[in-house]
Short mmCIF file of all heavy atoms in Angstrom, two decimals:
data_model
loop_
_atom_site.label_atom_id
_atom_site.label_comp_id
_atom_site.label_asym_id
_atom_site.label_seq_id
_atom_site.Cartn_x
_atom_site.Cartn_y
_atom_site.Cartn_z
N MET A 110 -151.92 -121.49 -63.82
CA MET A 110 -151.02 -120.34 -63.69
C MET A 110 -149.98 -120.55 -62.64
O MET A 110 -148.81 -120.17 -62.79
CB MET A 110 -151.91 -119.07 -63.37
CG MET A 110 -151.10 -117.81 -63.24
SD MET A 110 -150.44 -117.29 -64.80
CE MET A 110 -149.82 -115.74 -64.40
N SER A 111 -150.35 -121.21 -61.50
CA SER A 111 -149.43 -121.41 -60.43
C SER A 111 -148.30 -122.36 -60.84
O SER A 111 -147.17 -122.20 -60.45
CB SER A 111 -150.13 -121.91 -59.19
OG SER A 111 -150.65 -123.20 -59.42
N LYS A 112 -148.64 -123.36 -61.62
CA LYS A 112 -147.61 -124.31 -62.08
C LYS A 112 -146.64 -123.64 -63.01
O LYS A 112 -145.43 -123.92 -62.98
CB LYS A 112 -148.29 -125.48 -62.76
CG LYS A 112 -149.04 -126.41 -61.82
CD LYS A 112 -149.61 -127.60 -62.54
CE LYS A 112 -150.41 -128.46 -61.57
NZ LYS A 112 -150.95 -129.65 -62.22
N ILE A 113 -147.12 -122.72 -63.85
CA ILE A 113 -146.27 -122.01 -64.76
C ILE A 113 -145.31 -121.11 -64.00
O ILE A 113 -144.09 -121.08 -64.30
CB ILE A 113 -147.10 -121.19 -65.79
CG1 ILE A 113 -147.86 -122.12 -66.69
CG2 ILE A 113 -146.19 -120.29 -66.59
CD1 ILE A 113 -148.87 -121.42 -67.61
N LEU A 114 -145.80 -120.41 -62.98
CA LEU A 114 -144.93 -119.52 -62.17
C LEU A 114 -143.92 -120.36 -61.42
O LEU A 114 -142.74 -119.96 -61.31
CB LEU A 114 -145.77 -118.68 -61.22
CG LEU A 114 -146.39 -117.43 -61.79
CD1 LEU A 114 -147.26 -116.74 -60.74
CD2 LEU A 114 -145.34 -116.48 -62.29
N SER A 115 -144.36 -121.47 -60.86
CA SER A 115 -143.42 -122.33 -60.12
C SER A 115 -142.34 -122.89 -61.05
O SER A 115 -141.13 -122.89 -60.69
CB SER A 115 -144.16 -123.49 -59.45
OG SER A 115 -145.02 -122.95 -58.48
N ALA A 116 -142.70 -123.32 -62.25
CA ALA A 116 -141.75 -123.86 -63.19
C ALA A 116 -140.76 -122.78 -63.65
O ALA A 116 -139.58 -123.01 -63.75
CB ALA A 116 -142.46 -124.48 -64.40
N LEU A 117 -141.33 -121.58 -63.93
CA LEU A 117 -140.44 -120.47 -64.31
C LEU A 117 -139.49 -120.11 -63.18
O LEU A 117 -138.30 -119.82 -63.41
CB LEU A 117 -141.30 -119.26 -64.70
CG LEU A 117 -140.55 -118.04 -65.19
CD1 LEU A 117 -139.77 -118.34 -66.43
CD2 LEU A 117 -141.55 -116.91 -65.45
N GLY A 118 -139.99 -120.15 -61.94
CA GLY A 118 -139.15 -119.86 -60.81
C GLY A 118 -138.02 -120.87 -60.68
O GLY A 118 -136.86 -120.52 -60.39
N ILE A 119 -138.32 -122.15 -60.88
CA ILE A 119 -137.30 -123.21 -60.79
C ILE A 119 -136.25 -122.98 -61.87
O ILE A 119 -135.04 -123.08 -61.61
CB ILE A 119 -137.93 -124.57 -60.90
CG1 ILE A 119 -138.74 -124.89 -59.62
CG2 ILE A 119 -136.88 -125.66 -61.12
CD1 ILE A 119 -139.61 -126.10 -59.72
N VAL A 120 -136.69 -122.68 -63.09
CA VAL A 120 -135.73 -122.42 -64.18
C VAL A 120 -134.83 -121.23 -63.85
O VAL A 120 -133.62 -121.28 -64.10
CB VAL A 120 -136.50 -122.20 -65.50
CG1 VAL A 120 -135.58 -121.70 -66.61
CG2 VAL A 120 -137.20 -123.50 -65.97
N LEU A 121 -135.40 -120.17 -63.32
CA LEU A 121 -134.58 -118.99 -62.98
C LEU A 121 -133.60 -119.29 -61.86
O LEU A 121 -132.45 -118.82 -61.91
CB LEU A 121 -135.50 -117.81 -62.58
CG LEU A 121 -136.21 -117.09 -63.70
CD1 LEU A 121 -137.14 -116.08 -63.18
CD2 LEU A 121 -135.19 -116.43 -64.62
N VAL A 122 -134.00 -120.06 -60.89
CA VAL A 122 -133.12 -120.41 -59.80
C VAL A 122 -131.95 -121.28 -60.32
O VAL A 122 -130.79 -121.04 -59.97
CB VAL A 122 -133.87 -121.13 -58.65
CG1 VAL A 122 -132.89 -121.74 -57.67
CG2 VAL A 122 -134.78 -120.14 -57.95
N VAL A 123 -132.26 -122.23 -61.16
CA VAL A 123 -131.20 -123.06 -61.72
C VAL A 123 -130.28 -122.22 -62.58
O VAL A 123 -129.02 -122.37 -62.50
CB VAL A 123 -131.81 -124.24 -62.54
CG1 VAL A 123 -130.77 -124.95 -63.39
CG2 VAL A 123 -132.52 -125.20 -61.64
N ALA A 124 -130.83 -121.36 -63.42
CA ALA A 124 -129.97 -120.50 -64.27
C ALA A 124 -129.13 -119.60 -63.43
O ALA A 124 -127.92 -119.41 -63.75
CB ALA A 124 -130.88 -119.70 -65.22
N GLY A 125 -129.67 -119.03 -62.39
CA GLY A 125 -128.89 -118.13 -61.52
C GLY A 125 -127.78 -118.89 -60.80
O GLY A 125 -126.64 -118.36 -60.68
N THR A 126 -128.04 -120.11 -60.39
CA THR A 126 -126.99 -120.91 -59.71
C THR A 126 -125.87 -121.24 -60.69
O THR A 126 -124.71 -121.10 -60.35
CB THR A 126 -127.61 -122.18 -59.13
OG1 THR A 126 -128.69 -121.85 -58.23
CG2 THR A 126 -126.59 -122.99 -58.39
N ILE A 127 -126.24 -121.67 -61.87
CA ILE A 127 -125.21 -122.01 -62.87
C ILE A 127 -124.42 -120.75 -63.24
O ILE A 127 -123.20 -120.80 -63.37
CB ILE A 127 -125.86 -122.66 -64.10
CG1 ILE A 127 -126.39 -124.04 -63.72
CG2 ILE A 127 -124.86 -122.77 -65.24
CD1 ILE A 127 -127.21 -124.74 -64.81
N PHE A 128 -125.12 -119.65 -63.44
CA PHE A 128 -124.43 -118.43 -63.84
C PHE A 128 -123.47 -117.95 -62.77
O PHE A 128 -122.39 -117.47 -63.04
CB PHE A 128 -125.50 -117.33 -64.12
CG PHE A 128 -125.00 -116.20 -64.98
CD1 PHE A 128 -124.71 -116.34 -66.29
CD2 PHE A 128 -124.79 -114.95 -64.38
CE1 PHE A 128 -124.24 -115.29 -67.05
CE2 PHE A 128 -124.34 -113.92 -65.12
CZ PHE A 128 -124.05 -114.06 -66.47
N SER A 129 -123.87 -118.11 -61.48
CA SER A 129 -123.04 -117.70 -60.37
C SER A 129 -121.79 -118.57 -60.25
O SER A 129 -120.71 -118.10 -59.88
CB SER A 129 -123.80 -117.75 -59.06
OG SER A 129 -124.86 -116.82 -59.08
N LEU A 130 -121.93 -119.86 -60.51
CA LEU A 130 -120.83 -120.77 -60.29
C LEU A 130 -119.99 -121.04 -61.55
O LEU A 130 -118.98 -121.71 -61.48
CB LEU A 130 -121.37 -122.09 -59.79
CG LEU A 130 -122.06 -122.04 -58.39
CD1 LEU A 130 -122.64 -123.39 -58.07
CD2 LEU A 130 -121.08 -121.55 -57.34
N TRP A 131 -120.40 -120.50 -62.71
CA TRP A 131 -119.70 -120.81 -63.94
C TRP A 131 -118.26 -120.34 -63.94
O TRP A 131 -117.38 -120.97 -64.52
CB TRP A 131 -120.44 -120.17 -65.13
CG TRP A 131 -119.98 -120.79 -66.40
CD1 TRP A 131 -119.10 -120.21 -67.32
CD2 TRP A 131 -120.26 -122.09 -66.92
NE1 TRP A 131 -118.87 -121.07 -68.34
CE2 TRP A 131 -119.57 -122.24 -68.13
CE3 TRP A 131 -121.01 -123.15 -66.46
CZ2 TRP A 131 -119.65 -123.40 -68.87
CZ3 TRP A 131 -121.12 -124.27 -67.19
CH2 TRP A 131 -120.42 -124.39 -68.42
N SER A 132 -118.00 -119.23 -63.27
CA SER A 132 -116.60 -118.72 -63.21
C SER A 132 -115.69 -119.71 -62.48
O SER A 132 -114.53 -119.88 -62.84
CB SER A 132 -116.56 -117.34 -62.55
OG SER A 132 -117.00 -117.45 -61.21
N ILE A 133 -116.23 -120.35 -61.46
CA ILE A 133 -115.41 -121.35 -60.73
C ILE A 133 -115.20 -122.59 -61.63
O ILE A 133 -114.09 -123.13 -61.69
CB ILE A 133 -116.10 -121.76 -59.41
CG1 ILE A 133 -116.12 -120.57 -58.48
CG2 ILE A 133 -115.39 -122.95 -58.77
CD1 ILE A 133 -116.96 -120.77 -57.24
N LEU A 134 -116.27 -123.02 -62.30
CA LEU A 134 -116.13 -124.16 -63.17
C LEU A 134 -115.27 -123.92 -64.38
O LEU A 134 -114.61 -124.81 -64.88
CB LEU A 134 -117.54 -124.61 -63.65
CG LEU A 134 -118.50 -125.07 -62.56
CD1 LEU A 134 -119.87 -125.31 -63.13
CD2 LEU A 134 -117.95 -126.35 -61.90
N GLY A 135 -115.21 -122.63 -64.81
CA GLY A 135 -114.42 -122.28 -65.99
C GLY A 135 -112.97 -121.99 -65.68
O GLY A 135 -112.17 -121.77 -66.62
N THR A 136 -112.58 -121.97 -64.43
CA THR A 136 -111.21 -121.68 -64.07
C THR A 136 -110.31 -122.84 -64.45
O THR A 136 -110.58 -123.98 -64.14
CB THR A 136 -111.08 -121.42 -62.54
OG1 THR A 136 -111.96 -120.37 -62.18
CG2 THR A 136 -109.70 -121.05 -62.14
N LYS A 137 -109.25 -122.50 -65.15
CA LYS A 137 -108.30 -123.52 -65.54
C LYS A 137 -107.45 -123.88 -64.30
O LYS A 137 -106.80 -123.05 -63.70
CB LYS A 137 -107.43 -123.05 -66.66
CG LYS A 137 -108.20 -122.82 -67.94
CD LYS A 137 -107.26 -122.43 -69.09
CE LYS A 137 -108.08 -122.22 -70.34
NZ LYS A 137 -107.23 -121.82 -71.48
N SER A 138 -107.44 -125.13 -63.98
CA SER A 138 -106.76 -125.58 -62.75
C SER A 138 -105.25 -125.41 -62.82
O SER A 138 -104.62 -125.25 -61.79
CB SER A 138 -107.11 -127.04 -62.45
OG SER A 138 -106.73 -127.88 -63.50
N GLU A 139 -104.69 -125.39 -64.02
CA GLU A 139 -103.26 -125.24 -64.11
C GLU A 139 -102.79 -123.79 -63.79
O GLU A 139 -101.65 -123.57 -63.51
CB GLU A 139 -102.70 -125.65 -65.47
CG GLU A 139 -103.21 -124.85 -66.65
CD GLU A 139 -104.42 -125.55 -67.33
OE1 GLU A 139 -104.93 -126.54 -66.83
OE2 GLU A 139 -104.80 -125.04 -68.40
N TYR A 140 -103.73 -122.82 -63.81
CA TYR A 140 -103.37 -121.46 -63.49
C TYR A 140 -103.50 -121.15 -61.99
O TYR A 140 -102.91 -120.20 -61.49
CB TYR A 140 -104.24 -120.45 -64.25
CG TYR A 140 -104.00 -120.40 -65.72
CD1 TYR A 140 -105.04 -120.22 -66.61
CD2 TYR A 140 -102.69 -120.54 -66.22
CE1 TYR A 140 -104.79 -120.17 -67.99
CE2 TYR A 140 -102.45 -120.48 -67.57
CZ TYR A 140 -103.51 -120.30 -68.45
OH TYR A 140 -103.28 -120.24 -69.81
N VAL A 141 -104.31 -121.92 -61.29
CA VAL A 141 -104.58 -121.64 -59.86
C VAL A 141 -103.30 -121.83 -59.07
O VAL A 141 -102.64 -122.82 -59.16
CB VAL A 141 -105.70 -122.53 -59.33
CG1 VAL A 141 -105.89 -122.29 -57.84
CG2 VAL A 141 -107.02 -122.30 -60.10
N GLY A 142 -102.97 -120.83 -58.27
CA GLY A 142 -101.78 -120.87 -57.41
C GLY A 142 -100.53 -120.42 -58.09
O GLY A 142 -99.46 -120.37 -57.47
N THR A 143 -100.61 -120.04 -59.38
CA THR A 143 -99.41 -119.57 -60.06
C THR A 143 -99.32 -118.05 -59.99
O THR A 143 -100.25 -117.39 -59.51
CB THR A 143 -99.46 -119.99 -61.57
OG1 THR A 143 -100.58 -119.33 -62.18
CG2 THR A 143 -99.58 -121.47 -61.73
N ALA A 144 -98.20 -117.54 -60.42
CA ALA A 144 -98.00 -116.10 -60.41
C ALA A 144 -98.99 -115.39 -61.34
O ALA A 144 -99.50 -114.34 -61.07
CB ALA A 144 -96.58 -115.75 -60.82
N TYR A 145 -99.29 -116.05 -62.49
CA TYR A 145 -100.26 -115.49 -63.43
C TYR A 145 -101.62 -115.31 -62.74
O TYR A 145 -102.27 -114.27 -62.90
CB TYR A 145 -100.40 -116.40 -64.65
CG TYR A 145 -101.41 -115.92 -65.65
CD1 TYR A 145 -101.08 -114.99 -66.63
CD2 TYR A 145 -102.72 -116.40 -65.62
CE1 TYR A 145 -102.02 -114.53 -67.54
CE2 TYR A 145 -103.67 -115.94 -66.53
CZ TYR A 145 -103.30 -115.02 -67.47
OH TYR A 145 -104.24 -114.58 -68.39
N TRP A 146 -102.06 -116.29 -61.98
CA TRP A 146 -103.34 -116.24 -61.33
C TRP A 146 -103.35 -115.12 -60.29
O TRP A 146 -104.31 -114.36 -60.21
CB TRP A 146 -103.63 -117.59 -60.68
CG TRP A 146 -104.97 -117.69 -60.03
CD1 TRP A 146 -106.17 -117.70 -60.65
CD2 TRP A 146 -105.25 -117.80 -58.61
NE1 TRP A 146 -107.17 -117.83 -59.72
CE2 TRP A 146 -106.66 -117.89 -58.46
CE3 TRP A 146 -104.43 -117.87 -57.48
CZ2 TRP A 146 -107.25 -118.04 -57.23
CZ3 TRP A 146 -105.07 -117.98 -56.28
CH2 TRP A 146 -106.42 -118.08 -56.17
N TYR A 147 -102.28 -115.01 -59.51
CA TYR A 147 -102.21 -113.94 -58.49
C TYR A 147 -102.16 -112.58 -59.15
O TYR A 147 -102.76 -111.60 -58.61
CB TYR A 147 -101.05 -114.13 -57.57
CG TYR A 147 -101.24 -115.26 -56.57
CD1 TYR A 147 -100.48 -116.43 -56.65
CD2 TYR A 147 -102.15 -115.14 -55.57
CE1 TYR A 147 -100.67 -117.46 -55.75
CE2 TYR A 147 -102.38 -116.16 -54.64
CZ TYR A 147 -101.61 -117.30 -54.73
OH TYR A 147 -101.80 -118.32 -53.86
N ASP A 148 -101.46 -112.43 -60.22
CA ASP A 148 -101.33 -111.16 -60.90
C ASP A 148 -102.69 -110.67 -61.49
O ASP A 148 -102.94 -109.47 -61.60
CB ASP A 148 -100.31 -111.18 -62.03
CG ASP A 148 -98.89 -111.31 -61.47
OD1 ASP A 148 -98.70 -111.05 -60.24
OD2 ASP A 148 -98.00 -111.68 -62.26
N HIS A 149 -103.53 -111.58 -61.93
CA HIS A 149 -104.73 -111.24 -62.60
C HIS A 149 -106.02 -111.38 -61.72
O HIS A 149 -107.13 -111.30 -62.20
CB HIS A 149 -104.93 -112.08 -63.86
CG HIS A 149 -103.90 -111.70 -64.92
ND1 HIS A 149 -102.68 -112.31 -64.97
CD2 HIS A 149 -103.94 -110.78 -65.89
CE1 HIS A 149 -101.99 -111.78 -65.96
NE2 HIS A 149 -102.75 -110.84 -66.54
N GLN A 150 -105.84 -111.60 -60.41
CA GLN A 150 -106.97 -111.73 -59.51
C GLN A 150 -107.86 -110.49 -59.49
O GLN A 150 -109.08 -110.66 -59.49
CB GLN A 150 -106.50 -112.07 -58.11
CG GLN A 150 -106.53 -113.54 -57.85
CD GLN A 150 -106.17 -113.85 -56.36
OE1 GLN A 150 -105.44 -113.09 -55.73
NE2 GLN A 150 -106.75 -114.90 -55.86
N PRO A 151 -107.33 -109.27 -59.42
CA PRO A 151 -108.23 -108.13 -59.37
C PRO A 151 -109.10 -108.00 -60.57
O PRO A 151 -110.28 -107.66 -60.46
CB PRO A 151 -107.27 -106.93 -59.25
CG PRO A 151 -106.00 -107.50 -58.70
CD PRO A 151 -105.93 -108.90 -59.22
N GLU A 152 -108.58 -108.32 -61.77
CA GLU A 152 -109.37 -108.23 -62.98
C GLU A 152 -110.47 -109.28 -63.00
O GLU A 152 -111.61 -109.02 -63.36
CB GLU A 152 -108.47 -108.37 -64.20
CG GLU A 152 -107.44 -107.25 -64.31
CD GLU A 152 -106.23 -107.70 -65.17
OE1 GLU A 152 -106.25 -108.79 -65.73
OE2 GLU A 152 -105.31 -106.90 -65.20
N SER A 153 -110.09 -110.50 -62.69
CA SER A 153 -111.08 -111.57 -62.73
C SER A 153 -112.12 -111.43 -61.63
O SER A 153 -113.28 -111.83 -61.78
CB SER A 153 -110.38 -112.96 -62.59
OG SER A 153 -109.73 -113.10 -61.38
N PHE A 154 -111.73 -110.81 -60.49
CA PHE A 154 -112.68 -110.60 -59.40
C PHE A 154 -113.79 -109.65 -59.84
O PHE A 154 -114.97 -109.89 -59.54
CB PHE A 154 -111.96 -110.05 -58.19
CG PHE A 154 -112.90 -109.69 -57.05
CD1 PHE A 154 -113.45 -110.71 -56.28
CD2 PHE A 154 -113.24 -108.37 -56.79
CE1 PHE A 154 -114.31 -110.39 -55.22
CE2 PHE A 154 -114.11 -108.06 -55.75
CZ PHE A 154 -114.65 -109.07 -54.98
N LYS A 155 -113.44 -108.61 -60.60
CA LYS A 155 -114.46 -107.65 -61.04
C LYS A 155 -115.46 -108.34 -61.96
O LYS A 155 -116.65 -108.09 -61.90
CB LYS A 155 -113.79 -106.47 -61.77
CG LYS A 155 -113.02 -105.56 -60.83
CD LYS A 155 -112.30 -104.46 -61.59
CE LYS A 155 -111.44 -103.68 -60.67
NZ LYS A 155 -110.65 -102.66 -61.40
N LYS A 156 -114.96 -109.16 -62.89
CA LYS A 156 -115.82 -109.87 -63.83
C LYS A 156 -116.71 -110.89 -63.08
O LYS A 156 -117.91 -110.97 -63.31
CB LYS A 156 -115.01 -110.62 -64.88
CG LYS A 156 -114.30 -109.72 -65.83
CD LYS A 156 -113.53 -110.61 -66.84
CE LYS A 156 -112.30 -109.94 -67.34
NZ LYS A 156 -111.46 -110.82 -68.12
N ASP A 157 -116.12 -111.62 -62.16
CA ASP A 157 -116.84 -112.65 -61.46
C ASP A 157 -117.86 -112.05 -60.52
O ASP A 157 -118.94 -112.59 -60.34
CB ASP A 157 -115.85 -113.54 -60.66
CG ASP A 157 -114.96 -114.39 -61.54
OD1 ASP A 157 -115.30 -114.54 -62.73
OD2 ASP A 157 -113.96 -114.88 -61.03
N LYS A 158 -117.54 -110.91 -59.92
CA LYS A 158 -118.49 -110.26 -59.01
C LYS A 158 -119.76 -109.86 -59.75
O LYS A 158 -120.87 -110.06 -59.23
CB LYS A 158 -117.83 -109.04 -58.38
CG LYS A 158 -118.73 -108.34 -57.37
CD LYS A 158 -117.97 -107.17 -56.74
CE LYS A 158 -118.88 -106.45 -55.77
NZ LYS A 158 -118.21 -105.28 -55.22
N THR A 159 -119.62 -109.32 -60.96
CA THR A 159 -120.80 -108.94 -61.75
C THR A 159 -121.65 -110.19 -62.07
O THR A 159 -122.87 -110.16 -61.97
CB THR A 159 -120.35 -108.26 -63.04
OG1 THR A 159 -119.55 -107.14 -62.71
CG2 THR A 159 -121.55 -107.80 -63.84
N LYS A 160 -120.99 -111.29 -62.46
CA LYS A 160 -121.71 -112.52 -62.79
C LYS A 160 -122.46 -113.06 -61.55
O LYS A 160 -123.59 -113.54 -61.65
CB LYS A 160 -120.78 -113.55 -63.35
CG LYS A 160 -120.25 -113.23 -64.70
CD LYS A 160 -119.30 -114.30 -65.18
CE LYS A 160 -118.67 -113.93 -66.51
NZ LYS A 160 -117.70 -114.92 -66.96
N VAL A 161 -121.83 -112.99 -60.42
CA VAL A 161 -122.45 -113.51 -59.19
C VAL A 161 -123.64 -112.63 -58.80
O VAL A 161 -124.68 -113.16 -58.39
CB VAL A 161 -121.42 -113.56 -58.03
CG1 VAL A 161 -122.06 -113.81 -56.72
CG2 VAL A 161 -120.35 -114.62 -58.34
N ILE A 162 -123.54 -111.31 -58.94
CA ILE A 162 -124.66 -110.46 -58.63
C ILE A 162 -125.84 -110.75 -59.54
O ILE A 162 -127.00 -110.84 -59.08
CB ILE A 162 -124.23 -108.98 -58.70
CG1 ILE A 162 -123.30 -108.65 -57.56
CG2 ILE A 162 -125.43 -108.05 -58.68
CD1 ILE A 162 -122.65 -107.32 -57.64
N ILE A 163 -125.60 -110.93 -60.84
CA ILE A 163 -126.68 -111.26 -61.76
C ILE A 163 -127.27 -112.61 -61.41
O ILE A 163 -128.49 -112.78 -61.43
CB ILE A 163 -126.15 -111.26 -63.21
CG1 ILE A 163 -125.77 -109.83 -63.63
CG2 ILE A 163 -127.17 -111.84 -64.19
CD1 ILE A 163 -125.00 -109.75 -64.93
N GLY A 164 -126.44 -113.59 -61.05
CA GLY A 164 -126.95 -114.90 -60.67
C GLY A 164 -127.82 -114.82 -59.40
O GLY A 164 -128.86 -115.48 -59.32
N ILE A 165 -127.41 -114.01 -58.45
CA ILE A 165 -128.17 -113.85 -57.22
C ILE A 165 -129.54 -113.21 -57.51
O ILE A 165 -130.57 -113.58 -56.97
CB ILE A 165 -127.38 -113.04 -56.18
CG1 ILE A 165 -126.26 -113.87 -55.63
CG2 ILE A 165 -128.30 -112.58 -55.05
CD1 ILE A 165 -125.32 -113.12 -54.74
N ILE A 166 -129.54 -112.23 -58.44
CA ILE A 166 -130.82 -111.63 -58.82
C ILE A 166 -131.74 -112.66 -59.46
O ILE A 166 -132.97 -112.70 -59.14
CB ILE A 166 -130.57 -110.42 -59.79
CG1 ILE A 166 -129.90 -109.29 -58.98
CG2 ILE A 166 -131.85 -109.94 -60.41
CD1 ILE A 166 -129.37 -108.15 -59.84
N PHE A 167 -131.19 -113.53 -60.33
CA PHE A 167 -132.03 -114.59 -60.92
C PHE A 167 -132.55 -115.51 -59.83
O PHE A 167 -133.73 -115.91 -59.87
CB PHE A 167 -131.21 -115.43 -61.89
CG PHE A 167 -131.04 -114.78 -63.25
CD1 PHE A 167 -130.13 -115.30 -64.16
CD2 PHE A 167 -131.78 -113.67 -63.67
CE1 PHE A 167 -129.96 -114.76 -65.41
CE2 PHE A 167 -131.61 -113.11 -64.90
CZ PHE A 167 -130.70 -113.66 -65.79
N ILE A 168 -131.74 -115.86 -58.88
CA ILE A 168 -132.18 -116.75 -57.80
C ILE A 168 -133.26 -116.10 -56.95
O ILE A 168 -134.27 -116.75 -56.64
CB ILE A 168 -130.96 -117.13 -56.90
CG1 ILE A 168 -130.01 -118.03 -57.71
CG2 ILE A 168 -131.42 -117.85 -55.65
CD1 ILE A 168 -128.68 -118.28 -57.04
N ILE A 169 -133.12 -114.85 -56.65
CA ILE A 169 -134.14 -114.15 -55.84
C ILE A 169 -135.49 -114.04 -56.64
O ILE A 169 -136.54 -114.32 -56.09
CB ILE A 169 -133.63 -112.77 -55.42
CG1 ILE A 169 -132.53 -112.91 -54.38
CG2 ILE A 169 -134.76 -111.89 -54.84
CD1 ILE A 169 -131.79 -111.65 -54.08
N ILE A 170 -135.42 -113.64 -57.87
CA ILE A 170 -136.64 -113.54 -58.68
C ILE A 170 -137.28 -114.88 -58.85
O ILE A 170 -138.51 -115.04 -58.76
CB ILE A 170 -136.32 -112.88 -60.07
CG1 ILE A 170 -135.92 -111.42 -59.87
CG2 ILE A 170 -137.53 -112.99 -60.98
CD1 ILE A 170 -135.42 -110.74 -61.11
N GLY A 171 -136.50 -115.94 -59.09
CA GLY A 171 -137.04 -117.28 -59.24
C GLY A 171 -137.69 -117.75 -57.96
O GLY A 171 -138.75 -118.40 -57.97
N SER A 172 -137.10 -117.44 -56.82
CA SER A 172 -137.68 -117.81 -55.54
C SER A 172 -139.00 -117.09 -55.28
O SER A 172 -139.95 -117.65 -54.79
CB SER A 172 -136.71 -117.49 -54.40
OG SER A 172 -135.55 -118.25 -54.55
N ILE A 173 -139.05 -115.84 -55.68
CA ILE A 173 -140.29 -115.04 -55.52
C ILE A 173 -141.38 -115.67 -56.40
O ILE A 173 -142.55 -115.82 -55.96
CB ILE A 173 -140.04 -113.57 -55.86
CG1 ILE A 173 -139.21 -112.93 -54.76
CG2 ILE A 173 -141.38 -112.83 -56.00
CD1 ILE A 173 -138.70 -111.54 -55.11
N PHE A 174 -141.02 -116.04 -57.62
CA PHE A 174 -142.04 -116.68 -58.53
C PHE A 174 -142.54 -117.99 -57.92
O PHE A 174 -143.71 -118.29 -57.98
CB PHE A 174 -141.42 -116.95 -59.89
CG PHE A 174 -141.40 -115.75 -60.82
CD1 PHE A 174 -140.72 -115.82 -62.01
CD2 PHE A 174 -142.01 -114.55 -60.48
CE1 PHE A 174 -140.66 -114.71 -62.86
CE2 PHE A 174 -141.95 -113.44 -61.29
CZ PHE A 174 -141.29 -113.52 -62.51
N GLN A 175 -141.64 -118.76 -57.33
CA GLN A 175 -142.06 -120.00 -56.69
C GLN A 175 -142.99 -119.76 -55.51
O GLN A 175 -144.01 -120.45 -55.36
CB GLN A 175 -140.85 -120.80 -56.24
CG GLN A 175 -140.07 -121.42 -57.36
CD GLN A 175 -138.86 -122.20 -56.84
OE1 GLN A 175 -138.72 -122.47 -55.66
NE2 GLN A 175 -137.99 -122.59 -57.75
N ILE A 176 -142.72 -118.75 -54.74
CA ILE A 176 -143.59 -118.45 -53.58
C ILE A 176 -144.96 -117.96 -54.06
O ILE A 176 -145.99 -118.36 -53.54
CB ILE A 176 -142.91 -117.38 -52.68
CG1 ILE A 176 -141.69 -118.02 -51.98
CG2 ILE A 176 -143.88 -116.85 -51.63
CD1 ILE A 176 -140.79 -117.04 -51.27
N ILE A 177 -144.95 -117.08 -55.10
CA ILE A 177 -146.24 -116.61 -55.62
C ILE A 177 -147.00 -117.79 -56.21
O ILE A 177 -148.24 -117.90 -55.99
CB ILE A 177 -145.98 -115.51 -56.69
CG1 ILE A 177 -145.44 -114.23 -56.02
CG2 ILE A 177 -147.25 -115.19 -57.46
CD1 ILE A 177 -144.95 -113.20 -57.01
N GLY A 178 -146.32 -118.64 -56.95
CA GLY A 178 -146.99 -119.83 -57.52
C GLY A 178 -147.55 -120.75 -56.46
O GLY A 178 -148.56 -121.41 -56.70
N LEU A 179 -146.97 -120.76 -55.33
CA LEU A 179 -147.43 -121.63 -54.23
C LEU A 179 -148.74 -121.14 -53.65
O LEU A 179 -149.65 -121.91 -53.29
CB LEU A 179 -146.35 -121.70 -53.12
CG LEU A 179 -146.66 -122.55 -51.90
CD1 LEU A 179 -146.68 -124.01 -52.34
CD2 LEU A 179 -145.59 -122.32 -50.84
N PHE A 180 -148.91 -119.81 -53.60
CA PHE A 180 -150.11 -119.25 -52.96
C PHE A 180 -151.22 -118.86 -53.95
O PHE A 180 -152.28 -118.43 -53.53
CB PHE A 180 -149.73 -118.00 -52.13
CG PHE A 180 -148.92 -118.39 -50.90
CD1 PHE A 180 -147.59 -118.06 -50.81
CD2 PHE A 180 -149.54 -119.11 -49.90
CE1 PHE A 180 -146.87 -118.43 -49.69
CE2 PHE A 180 -148.81 -119.46 -48.76
CZ PHE A 180 -147.48 -119.13 -48.66
N ILE A 181 -150.97 -119.00 -55.24
CA ILE A 181 -152.02 -118.70 -56.21
C ILE A 181 -152.89 -119.93 -56.43
O ILE A 181 -152.54 -121.01 -56.56
CB ILE A 181 -151.45 -118.19 -57.54
CG1 ILE A 181 -150.90 -116.81 -57.36
CG2 ILE A 181 -152.50 -118.20 -58.60
CD1 ILE A 181 -150.32 -116.18 -58.60
#
């Protein structure tokens, strides 16, 4: 059981990290620093903030699973 919780925790942490950083990886470099990018920053910030919060929740839950798996 402890190995399953630890493995599930690792998967959740990885998924949360990828989910949090995907907006940065998905940003088109030709738009960065242009007027289009500056004009649409408030809209993209709202979307990215939600994704980052979800990613952080995955990371926290995954870390808790790893800790529980360590002591079981």
Side-chain angles (χ1 to χ4, degrees):
M110 181 69 171
S111 66
K112 290 182 181 180
I113 293 172
L114 278 177
S115 293
L117 182 61
I119 291 169
V120 169
L121 283 174
V122 168
V123 168
T126 303
I127 291 172
F128 199 72
S129 296
L130 297 175
W131 195 256
S132 61
I133 294 170
L134 296 174
T136 303
K137 294 183 179 181
S138 59
E139 61 264 8
Y140 290 144
V141 176
T143 63
Y145 178 85
W146 184 67
Y147 285 112
D148 290 343
H149 291 89
Q150 265 186 330
E152 298 157 5
S153 64
F154 176 76
K155 290 176 187 176
K156 293 181 209 171
D157 293 343
K158 183 178 178 182
T159 304
K160 291 179 184 178
V161 169
I162 290 171
I163 293 170
I165 288 173
I166 291 170
F167 281 168
I168 291 170
I169 291 170
I170 293 172
S172 298
I173 291 170
F174 281 172
Q175 288 180 11
I176 292 169
I177 291 171
L179 181 66
F180 291 111
I181 288 182

